[in-house]
Amino acid sequence: MKGKWVEVDKQRMDAVIVAANGHAECRKLRDVKAGDPIVCGHDGIRVTPEFRERDRLGFAFMNNDVSSERRVEGSVARIAKMMREVKKAGGRIAVVAGPVVVHTGGVEHFSDLIRQGFVDVVLAGNALAVHDIEFALSGTSLGIDLAAGAPVEQGHRNHMAAINTINRAGGIRAAVETGILTSGVMYECVKNNVDFVLAGSIRDDGPLPETLMDLITAQERYAAALSGNVQMVLMLSSMLHSIGVGNMLPSWVRVVCVDINPAVVTKLSDRGSAQTVGVVTDVGLFLHRLAEALGS
Amino acid sequence: MKGKWVEVDKQRMDAVIVAANGHAECRKLRDVKAGDPIVCGHDGIRVTPEFRERDRLGFAFMNNDVSSERRVEGSVARIAKMMREVKKAGGRIAVVAGPVVVHTGGVEHFSDLIRQGFVDVVLAGNALAVHDIEFALSGTSLGIDLAAGAPVEQGHRNHMAAINTINRAGGIRAAVETGILTSGVMYECVKNNVDFVLAGSIRDDGPLPETLMDLITAQERYAAALSGNVQMVLMLSSMLHSIGVGNMLPSWVRVVCVDINPAVVTKLSDRGSAQTVGVVTDVGLFLHRLAEALGS
Amino acid sequence: MKGKWVEVDKQRMDAVIVAANGHAECRKLRDVKAGDPIVCGHDGIRVTPEFRERDRLGFAFMNNDVSSERRVEGSVARIAKMMREVKKAGGRIAVVAGPVVVHTGGVEHFSDLIRQGFVDVVLAGNALAVHDIEFALSGTSLGIDLAAGAPVEQGHRNHMAAINTINRAGGIRAAVETGILTSGVMYECVKNNVDFVLAGSIRDDGPLPETLMDLITAQERYAAALSGNVQMVLMLSSMLHSIGVGNMLPSWVRVVCVDINPAVVTKLSDRGSAQTVGVVTDVGLFLHRLAEALGS
Amino acid sequence: MKGKWVEVDKQRMDAVIVAANGHAECRKLRDVKAGDPIVCGHDGIRVTPEFRERDRLGFAFMNNDVSSERRVEGSVARIAKMMREVKKAGGRIAVVAGPVVVHTGGVEHFSDLIRQGFVDVVLAGNALAVHDIEFALSGTSLGIDLAAGAPVEQGHRNHMAAINTINRAGGIRAAVETGILTSGVMYECVKNNVDFVLAGSIRDDGPLPETLMDLITAQERYAAALSGNVQMVLMLSSMLHSIGVGNMLPSWVRVVCVDINPAVVTKLSDRGSAQTVGVVTDVGLFLHRLAEALGS
């Protein structure tokens, strides 16, 4: 602008660029006001993909084809290496996670990652928190005993009991502080000062006190959590929240999508980011291997 | 109560029964107040599955196994027959639909069903409406020309243009009334007085003025739309909104789930309703066959 | 060779080129003999992809991404157009088909295509023939009544009865000629002089007299059937036989893969042919639309 | 017979019972001869499901629903326990395996299971052996370096080179004995006297000398390998060979199906055996966990 290159602030995929007074930033359509000077066309825009850093961080192993017929353990090693490098460089790592993380036995390993300092932000929905807390309080997930792999008698009540317990305590944070909730992903988030945001959805029951049922607020809180130097995002078995997060990311953030359904991985990998790696595998076993790789 | 059987009002799957003064009704956990007399245990409760009516309406063809290796045309004939019977008996029919309905070419046939009077309620998200309106205004869906099956140059702009056009008009209803929107599912809803509710989600862009971003309100509006004698629900390619609707339904409502992914159909069919039929097929072709079967 | 370009005969994907005496042809590894002069490296080889003809035949609609979220009816129209053009140009069309074609109600429409003259070769396994014949003789497929969509009492016997009937008659051809088999895909093949080859597999029961249980012979018969100017192949719901056929094709043959499982379509589309179109949809409904498009 | 109960020999699912002279046995339809006295109807037949032993072996954890949203590590522990019990009781264990076992990095862990004595029979196709041997000779699988997870230059030649090497050696067994093949699943089979049978298919290239391209012979050899007190079968990522094996099993044999595609697991689980457990997960990671569980 006026003969100088200006860096665009608050970059994200689903926005326009508003430029004025030597300053430029991304703005969502609904936040644009009449009279805002919006950039039209591609002239005068320079895209900086930071290919050099990308290579340095080992994203060269990126493979375009999504398939369940791949050896996952090699990918785990490289993802672990990348996470270490991001942390060493002072970057932050966000994890988007669906309730399948709980059902497939990933809680213990996800908790490990948090305790080891590899998770700075958790973005999820009401269901992840409810299932994680049900598991922490009663050992079941939707009434299935995860150790035994079998339904527990009257186990379907554990789900509602978990919601009621947290409501009575006044929320997740309060339940941790008063010693009611003593393990699991949400517990570790509170204990380790991990920034977590729970976005509501039409299928939620409860919801928990921390779940944001006003989605304009939820989108703003997600975007704010991602804006603080998040350089890498792990998307674990949550198409809904992962698409939401994908829309908010600038193109240079490294994204790793993990899902057992190849169609989900393909869909998330196709959303425009040049730096997405898709892994088709069992999320519970993936988290176990990843925690092992980062722990050693 | 006091020796008399009392029917429970506002039945839904995810609620408790509050009973007092000879009256009983379902209430969501978050609406229960201290002191409410809640029914605990199963004693003194009688479940009426209305098996006789169920058979009369031809649900005997219900098959437990979900498979893509089935002849769909037989199922279409029976679903069409059931829809005719529900309408003849004065019942209402709700359709839950995801944007895949648009991508797979279902708009024309869904519109047909509405014009023929077989749809009383449409429950969906922001994306169905945005894609439907993009298709009505420019012939594309996410920039893909649906007739040619190929991307259109600069077609990705059509998506945002559709949102902007409706915003400028003041909403979907206003856009229909002022002649800006002249075809498609949303147009037919307005023209044929079909009750539609659009629930927001974390991945929405826009959103359109009619999309409810406060999900407590959205859940209440969904439940209200379903409460007016809805006897049958078609769930088309939308796991998120279908699970939301499933939670709100009493057990006697007939549910038909259609999705090309067998895992989605299995998941929706397993949510407790005894009256669910799953069909694994291409939704666009399914709607074409269904519109033909109902039109003849 | 000796300063002249020589065209390679019997082209296929999984072979080496043997060149001698001014003649060159593809030969499978197991048919190479000691002393055969084999072409090594890429020097002196010119690949002719016939891009011009490819465009002329409308393969420009080819889309790299495989997704179930596509409008199939546009693809059907283009595939029908291409089939008409191949036939008009004197080319032959082969269809590879699995038993899902029968289960999903495709028999009637596949029979239509054969009667209309659009099928010159059918390559399949024992199961397609057994299910097709069970349906022709008793109206069921693995004991499921395809019109009613429900299991028939003692229906599981129909499968074995079909095998026994054909065995007693001395084979499929004999059963057609003696009036025992009077409808279905195999019947139409016999009546319309369509070349059919049934390759055995480890899971076959029976097998039928025409099924080739010696797979060296089966591979040779498949290759021979494809060598007679086959310019287009439809692969319908049979990963096993489709991969087998894919190996045998020269790169210029147009291939259309149809399956309801996106992973199968991706896998078949990735096998090297530059001229493959993948369609993720319900095969029974696809055949219905295709027969309509070709009939009009 | 003549007032005495007689046990049926050679039980399998896809056969009839021939009974004469106080002896009864299962016979495939194609082996029945004119005049054989075949049992018709269900009268006079007693089915012995051996429920007591089934419970003793811990099959109580069997879950009817197939889902990717399950914790696999609990299932692994129970499968390991069952394998130990079968071996302690003198039973034999068969493994049916597809090439995905190699692609997903399972070779090392499968080899472990064989060395630990938990595998008595391997039933597979040509592809498992070719990919396993390519990996043993060059570290790639279809040209992909499994350690690095990336394609190797000219790597596609390794596949053909593996076939040629084994052909030149005169077969797998000869290649092991002459020190050409020194690791992998096939190597361990030879070294540990595991009975292996490779059944051919229409898509095979090569094939290797040990691959049976005459499928009548292959079916007989599979059945013979299963007849020697095989009490448990692991089916790993091979729908084709697993269906073949399923047809040959008596109903009391415990079957464990593992595949990342829930539709495959559902299909295999539905084939009549009352003793089938389905696990939807990544096969490479599954084998790693299983080898760990059995090694400790």
Side-chain angles (χ1 to χ4, degrees):
Chain A
M1 292 164 73
K2 298 193 181 171
K4 279 194 187 167
W5 287 108
V6 172
E7 198 173 323
V8 178
D9 279 353
K10 302 188 187 169
Q11 290 189 26
R12 51 186 290 160
M13 300 231 165
D14 61 348
V16 294
I17 301 174
V18 176
N21 306 323
H23 172 83
E25 69 174 46
C26 278
R27 204 170 291 171
K28 276 190 75 77
L29 235 57
R30 68 173 177 245
D31 299 326
V32 172
K33 288 182 192 63
D36 277 350
I38 293 176
V39 177
C40 297
H42 298 124
D43 293 345
I45 293 184
R46 199 171 55 177
V47 178
T48 315
E50 305 199 359
F51 276 118
R52 231 163 304 155
E53 193 195 8
R54 169 180 158 188
D55 286 350
R56 194 172 57 75
L57 286 173
F59 239 70
F61 79 90
M62 204 170 68
N63 221 320
N64 278 334
D65 57 332
V66 169
S67 167
S68 61
E69 305 187 356
R70 292 284 176 275
R71 182 170 173 269
V72 168
E73 307 198 329
S75 305
V76 167
R78 269 167 248 112
I79 292 166
K81 184 162 173 286
M82 202 187 312
M83 289 173 75
R84 280 211 188 87
E85 288 172 343
V86 166
K87 293 308 299 176
K88 197 175 292 175
R92 298 169 80 227
I93 298 175
V95 178
V96 186
V100 171
V101 167
V102 182
H103 302 323
T104 58
V107 165
E108 173 189 352
H109 314 299
F110 194 175
S111 299
D112 239 36
L113 295 185
I114 299 175
R115 278 193 302 264
Q116 291 182 45
F118 286 106
V119 181
D120 301 285
V121 177
V122 170
L123 302 174
N126 189 61
L128 173 78
V130 171
H131 290 299
D132 171 65
I133 291 167
E134 178 191 336
F135 179 58
L137 296 180
S138 59
T140 63
S141 176
L142 273 179
I144 307 286
D145 182 320
L146 286 189
V152 169
E153 213 183 303
Q154 296 290 339
H156 65 282
R157 297 180 168 209
N158 296 346
H159 180 73
M160 282 300 184
I163 297 174
N164 285 343
T165 300
I166 299 303
N167 274 333
R168 219 178 302 120
I172 297 169
R173 200 168 293 276
V176 171
E177 281 157 6
T178 56
I180 291 167
L181 183 63
T182 59
S183 71
V185 172
M186 300 318 297
Y187 167 82
E188 298 293 349
C189 285
V190 173
K191 280 293 178 187
N192 294 278
N193 290 314
V194 170
D195 194 8
F196 67 88
V197 188
L198 305 178
S201 86
I202 189 75
R203 74 181 157 197
D204 290 342
D205 41 18
L208 296 174
E210 269 93 346
T211 302
L212 301 168
M213 295 299 271
D214 176 345
L215 287 185
I216 300 289
T217 308
Q219 288 184 340
E220 285 167 1
R221 288 280 307 280
Y222 262 47
L226 290 166
S227 67
N229 198 25
V230 165
Q231 293 185 4
M232 183 173 175
V233 179
L234 288 185
M235 299 177 168
L236 308 176
S237 285
S238 171
M239 188 157 75
L240 175 65
H241 298 92
S242 296
I243 294 177
V245 167
N247 292 341
M248 298 171 187
L249 291 177
S251 69
W252 66 74
V253 173
R254 292 150 204 88
V255 175
V256 176
C257 306
V258 186
D259 203 289
I260 203 164
N261 183 345
V264 169
V265 175
T266 301
K267 191 162 181 169
L268 291 174
S269 302
D270 280 354
R271 296 186 77 80
S273 171
Q275 307 227 34
T276 302
V277 174
V279 181
V280 180
T281 192
D282 182 304
V283 174
L285 295 182
F286 173 87
L287 280 169
H288 193 157
R289 285 282 156 228
L290 185 61
E292 283 180 349
L294 285 168
S296 58
Chain B
M1 293 162 72
K2 299 192 182 173
K4 279 192 186 170
W5 287 107
V6 173
E7 198 171 326
V8 179
D9 278 354
K10 303 187 188 169
Q11 288 188 26
R12 53 186 290 161
M13 299 230 165
D14 60 350
V16 295
I17 302 175
V18 176
N21 308 323
H23 173 82
E25 71 175 43
C26 279
R27 203 169 294 170
K28 274 189 77 78
L29 234 56
R30 68 174 178 245
D31 298 327
V32 173
K33 286 179 195 67
D36 276 350
I38 294 176
V39 177
C40 297
H42 299 124
D43 292 345
I45 293 184
R46 198 169 57 178
V47 179
T48 314
E50 305 199 0
F51 277 119
R52 227 163 308 153
E53 193 194 9
R54 170 181 156 185
D55 285 350
R56 194 171 58 74
L57 286 174
F59 240 72
F61 79 89
M62 203 169 68
N63 222 319
N64 278 334
D65 58 332
V66 168
S67 167
S68 61
E69 304 188 356
R70 294 283 175 275
R71 182 169 172 269
V72 168
E73 306 197 329
S75 305
V76 167
R78 270 168 248 113
I79 292 165
K81 184 162 172 286
M82 202 187 311
M83 289 174 75
R84 281 211 188 85
E85 288 171 344
V86 166
K87 293 308 300 177
K88 197 176 292 174
R92 298 169 80 226
I93 297 175
V95 178
V96 186
V100 171
V101 167
V102 182
H103 301 323
T104 58
V107 164
E108 173 189 351
H109 315 299
F110 193 175
S111 299
D112 239 38
L113 294 185
I114 298 174
R115 279 192 303 264
Q116 292 182 46
F118 286 106
V119 181
D120 301 284
V121 176
V122 170
L123 302 175
N126 190 62
L128 173 78
V130 171
H131 291 298
D132 171 65
I133 291 166
E134 178 191 337
F135 178 58
L137 297 179
S138 58
T140 63
S141 176
L142 272 178
I144 307 286
D145 182 320
L146 286 188
V152 169
E153 212 182 304
Q154 296 288 340
H156 65 280
R157 298 180 167 208
N158 295 345
H159 180 74
M160 281 300 184
I163 296 174
N164 285 342
T165 302
I166 299 302
N167 274 332
R168 217 178 302 119
I172 298 169
R173 200 168 293 276
V176 172
E177 280 157 8
T178 55
I180 292 167
L181 183 63
T182 59
S183 70
V185 172
M186 301 318 298
Y187 167 83
E188 298 293 349
C189 284
V190 173
K191 280 293 179 189
N192 295 278
N193 291 314
V194 169
D195 194 7
F196 68 88
V197 187
L198 305 178
S201 85
I202 189 75
R203 75 180 157 199
D204 290 343
D205 41 19
L208 297 173
E210 269 93 346
T211 302
L212 301 168
M213 294 299 270
D214 175 344
L215 287 185
I216 299 288
T217 309
Q219 288 184 340
E220 285 167 0
R221 288 280 307 279
Y222 262 48
L226 290 165
S227 67
N229 199 24
V230 166
Q231 293 184 4
M232 184 173 175
V233 179
L234 288 185
M235 297 177 170
L236 307 176
S237 285
S238 172
M239 189 157 75
L240 174 66
H241 298 92
S242 296
I243 294 177
V245 167
N247 292 340
M248 299 172 187
L249 292 177
S251 69
W252 67 73
V253 172
R254 292 150 205 89
V255 174
V256 177
C257 305
V258 187
D259 203 289
I260 202 165
N261 182 345
V264 169
V265 174
T266 299
K267 190 162 181 167
L268 291 174
S269 301
D270 280 354
R271 295 187 75 81
S273 171
Q275 308 226 31
T276 302
V277 174
V279 181
V280 180
T281 192
D282 182 305
V283 174
L285 295 182
F286 172 87
L287 280 169
H288 193 158
R289 285 284 156 225
L290 184 61
E292 284 181 350
L294 285 168
S296 60
Chain C
M1 293 163 73
K2 300 191 181 173
K4 279 194 185 169
W5 286 108
V6 173
E7 198 172 325
V8 179
D9 277 355
K10 303 189 187 169
Q11 289 188 27
R12 51 186 291 160
M13 299 233 164
D14 60 350
V16 295
I17 301 175
V18 176
N21 307 322
H23 173 81
E25 70 175 44
C26 279
R27 202 169 294 169
K28 274 190 77 74
L29 235 55
R30 67 173 176 247
D31 298 328
V32 172
K33 287 181 194 64
D36 276 351
I38 294 177
V39 177
C40 297
H42 298 123
D43 292 345
I45 293 184
R46 198 169 56 178
V47 179
T48 315
E50 306 200 357
F51 277 118
R52 227 163 309 153
E53 193 195 8
R54 169 180 157 187
D55 286 351
R56 194 173 57 75
L57 286 173
F59 240 71
F61 79 90
M62 204 169 68
N63 223 319
N64 278 334
D65 58 332
V66 168
S67 167
S68 61
E69 304 187 357
R70 293 285 175 275
R71 183 171 172 269
V72 168
E73 306 197 329
S75 305
V76 167
R78 269 168 248 113
I79 293 165
K81 185 162 172 287
M82 202 187 310
M83 289 173 75
R84 281 210 187 85
E85 287 171 345
V86 167
K87 293 308 300 176
K88 197 176 293 174
R92 298 169 80 227
I93 297 175
V95 178
V96 186
V100 171
V101 166
V102 182
H103 302 323
T104 58
V107 165
E108 173 188 352
H109 315 299
F110 193 176
S111 300
D112 239 37
L113 295 184
I114 298 173
R115 277 192 303 265
Q116 292 182 46
F118 286 106
V119 181
D120 300 286
V121 177
V122 170
L123 302 175
N126 189 63
L128 174 80
V130 172
H131 291 299
D132 171 64
I133 291 167
E134 178 191 335
F135 179 58
L137 296 180
S138 59
T140 62
S141 176
L142 273 180
I144 307 287
D145 182 321
L146 286 187
V152 169
E153 214 184 302
Q154 296 289 339
H156 66 280
R157 299 181 166 207
N158 295 345
H159 180 73
M160 282 299 182
I163 296 174
N164 286 341
T165 301
I166 299 302
N167 274 333
R168 217 178 303 121
I172 297 170
R173 199 168 295 275
V176 171
E177 281 158 8
T178 56
I180 291 167
L181 183 62
T182 59
S183 70
V185 171
M186 300 319 297
Y187 167 83
E188 299 292 349
C189 284
V190 173
K191 281 293 179 188
N192 295 277
N193 291 315
V194 169
D195 194 7
F196 67 89
V197 187
L198 304 178
S201 85
I202 189 74
R203 75 180 157 201
D204 289 344
D205 42 19
L208 297 173
E210 270 93 346
T211 302
L212 301 168
M213 294 300 270
D214 175 345
L215 287 185
I216 300 288
T217 309
Q219 288 184 341
E220 285 167 1
R221 289 280 308 279
Y222 262 47
L226 290 166
S227 66
N229 199 23
V230 165
Q231 293 185 4
M232 183 173 176
V233 179
L234 288 185
M235 297 177 170
L236 307 176
S237 286
S238 172
M239 190 158 74
L240 175 66
H241 298 92
S242 296
I243 294 177
V245 167
N247 292 341
M248 299 171 188
L249 292 177
S251 70
W252 67 73
V253 172
R254 293 150 203 88
V255 174
V256 177
C257 305
V258 187
D259 203 289
I260 202 165
N261 183 345
V264 169
V265 175
T266 300
K267 189 162 182 169
L268 292 174
S269 301
D270 280 354
R271 296 187 75 80
S273 170
Q275 308 227 32
T276 302
V277 174
V279 182
V280 180
T281 191
D282 183 305
V283 174
L285 296 182
F286 173 86
L287 280 169
H288 193 157
R289 284 284 155 225
L290 184 62
E292 284 180 349
L294 285 167
S296 61
Chain D
M1 292 164 74
K2 299 193 180 171
K4 279 192 187 168
W5 287 108
V6 173
E7 198 172 325
V8 179
D9 278 353
K10 301 187 189 172
Q11 290 189 27
R12 52 187 289 161
M13 299 229 165
D14 60 349
V16 295
I17 300 174
V18 177
N21 308 323
H23 173 83
E25 69 174 45
C26 278
R27 204 169 292 170
K28 275 191 73 79
L29 234 56
R30 67 175 177 243
D31 299 326
V32 172
K33 288 180 192 66
D36 278 349
I38 293 176
V39 177
C40 298
H42 299 124
D43 293 346
I45 294 183
R46 198 169 57 176
V47 179
T48 315
E50 304 199 0
F51 276 119
R52 230 164 305 153
E53 193 194 8
R54 167 179 158 187
D55 286 350
R56 194 171 57 74
L57 286 173
F59 239 71
F61 79 91
M62 205 170 66
N63 221 319
N64 278 334
D65 58 333
V66 169
S67 167
S68 61
E69 304 188 357
R70 292 284 176 277
R71 182 169 172 270
V72 168
E73 305 198 329
S75 305
V76 167
R78 268 168 248 111
I79 292 165
K81 185 162 173 287
M82 203 186 311
M83 289 172 76
R84 280 211 188 87
E85 288 171 343
V86 166
K87 293 307 299 175
K88 197 175 293 175
R92 297 170 80 228
I93 298 176
V95 178
V96 187
V100 170
V101 167
V102 182
H103 302 323
T104 58
V107 165
E108 172 190 352
H109 314 299
F110 194 175
S111 299
D112 240 37
L113 294 185
I114 298 174
R115 278 192 303 264
Q116 292 182 45
F118 286 106
V119 182
D120 301 285
V121 177
V122 170
L123 303 174
N126 189 62
L128 174 78
V130 172
H131 291 300
D132 171 64
I133 291 167
E134 177 191 337
F135 179 58
L137 296 180
S138 58
T140 62
S141 177
L142 273 179
I144 307 286
D145 181 320
L146 285 188
V152 169
E153 214 183 304
Q154 296 289 341
H156 66 281
R157 298 179 167 209
N158 296 346
H159 180 74
M160 281 301 183
I163 296 174
N164 285 343
T165 300
I166 299 301
N167 274 333
R168 219 178 302 120
I172 297 169
R173 199 169 294 276
V176 171
E177 281 157 9
T178 56
I180 292 167
L181 184 63
T182 59
S183 71
V185 172
M186 299 319 297
Y187 167 82
E188 299 292 350
C189 284
V190 173
K191 281 291 179 190
N192 295 277
N193 291 313
V194 169
D195 193 9
F196 67 89
V197 187
L198 304 178
S201 86
I202 189 74
R203 74 181 157 196
D204 290 343
D205 41 18
L208 297 173
E210 269 93 346
T211 302
L212 301 168
M213 295 299 270
D214 175 344
L215 286 185
I216 300 289
T217 308
Q219 287 184 342
E220 285 167 0
R221 289 280 308 279
Y222 262 48
L226 290 166
S227 65
N229 198 24
V230 166
Q231 292 185 5
M232 183 172 175
V233 180
L234 289 185
M235 298 177 170
L236 308 176
S237 286
S238 172
M239 188 157 74
L240 175 66
H241 299 92
S242 296
I243 294 177
V245 168
N247 291 341
M248 298 171 188
L249 292 177
S251 69
W252 67 73
V253 172
R254 292 150 203 89
V255 175
V256 176
C257 306
V258 187
D259 203 288
I260 203 165
N261 183 344
V264 169
V265 175
T266 300
K267 189 161 180 166
L268 291 174
S269 301
D270 279 354
R271 295 186 77 79
S273 170
Q275 307 227 35
T276 303
V277 174
V279 181
V280 180
T281 192
D282 183 305
V283 175
L285 296 183
F286 172 86
L287 280 169
H288 193 157
R289 285 281 157 227
L290 184 62
E292 283 181 349
L294 285 168
S296 59

